Amino acid sequence: MRISALEKYGLRCLLVLAKEGPDKQLSIAEIAEKEGLSIPYSSKLLSILRKAGLVQAARGRGGGFSITRRADDITLFEVLTALGGPLVEPHHCSKYAGNLKECVHIDRCSVHDVLDNLADYVEQFLNDTTLEDIIRADKTGYLKKADYKIILSKNSLQDKLTG
Amino acid sequence: MRISALEKYGLRCLLVLAKEGPDKQLSIAEIAEKEGLSIPYSSKLLSILRKAGLVQAARGRGGGFSITRRADDITLFEVLTALGGPLVEPHHCSKYAGNLKECVHIDRCSVHDVLDNLADYVEQFLNDTTLEDIIRADKTGYLKKADYKIILSKNSLQDKLTG
DNA sequence: ATAATACTTTACTTTTTTGTAAAGTTTTTG
DNA sequence: CAAAAACTTTACAAAAAAGTAAAGTATTAT
């Protein structure tokens, strides 16, 4: 379980634009320079962010990229999902079944269930963190932080199935 | 950010042994068969688990693997860390600096800070989940689950540095 | 129009991760 | 002691991810 390079670098590029706000744009070269990345790699990252609708591009002379929404309206969840996909593969049991066509735990896979719970849990954190929070931390040195007082309860798997 | 194949398969192999308890052992062939994995791949997974001290091996005829501790004494954090390493690279800023030798945000990297917070947060969940919880869920259909009532607070970065 | 600027797309190389194969070592049984 | 069972190690092949390069397309200024 690891944060990918694409996620880290892509987030950093987006933060550069987030600091500028939706009304200002920067060229790939400017963004690459600010983050110490190569121009081709920055192009790739920005292309992914554009396809996800997080930034928009203006082509031609005087063009560049701008963020599509305000920093306080974009969550870390959106950004990391755009760059790295979901934490758990949607069809884990069919994709990672080893030699067999289907997971041996096809009827009830508690590993999958616990990983799904973890994904939900992580999503909660990521949805509670906006780009604005990160920008503010840069300026003030204070970062919003989960308080590690997690309430654990027993929930029925059946609840999830029936909604 | 993704759960790796090694983490998922490794966890499954360990769970097979956890269900048997520390006093019973199974051969690689038996474990592979139960999880629908190839024998060479299972060997690799069990080798990693052995080096991490989570299982022990008895060689020779009649040998096999057994878990070293009870299922309720092994957390998901230990298992996933053994199989996949930490969520965030320890020296992210020096390793993923792009073209430069050091991260451009070397003095204060709020991206790194927020990812460290995420790692701590995830660790909390993983430390609260034992192999026994997963085994129980297999039997009963009930899985312990974080209640999504996360208390967010503002914490000083300085707090982290000074302890 | 034309040239310069700047995004876009495709293809390719390198590195890492996954997964397999085979030869080696240890222990037990006959 | 020899053979079989079973773990161990090393090396290798295949697939995915990371990162680079180059040719293409759109826009604007002259």
Side-chain angles (χ1 to χ4, degrees), chain A residues 1 7 9 36 99 145 153, chain B residues 1 7 36 96 99 145 153:
Chain A
M1 195 171 146
E7 288 171 309
Y9 284 142
N99 285 337
K145 184 175 170 182
S153 67
Chain B
M1 192 172 148
E7 288 171 310
Y96 291 93
N99 284 339
K145 186 175 170 181
S153 66

Side-chain angles (χ1 to χ4, degrees), chain A residues 86-98 100-106 108-117 119, chain B residues 2-13 15 35 37 134:
Chain A
L87 181 66
V88 181
E89 290 289 336
H91 301 309
H92 147 239
C93 277
S94 54
K95 281 194 77 173
Y96 291 92
L100 307 174
K101 284 189 189 137
E102 306 230 303
C103 177
V104 292
H105 308 290
I106 195 66
R108 149 114 6 97
C109 178
S110 59
V111 169
H112 201 188
D113 288 332
V114 78
L115 294 182
D116 279 347
N117 280 3
Chain B
R2 175 159 284 146
I3 301 281
S4 74
L6 235 61
E7 288 171 310
K8 266 189 282 206
Y9 284 141
L11 173 59
R12 275 167 49 175
C13 287
L15 279 168
E35 289 302 316
L37 304 174
I134 300 174

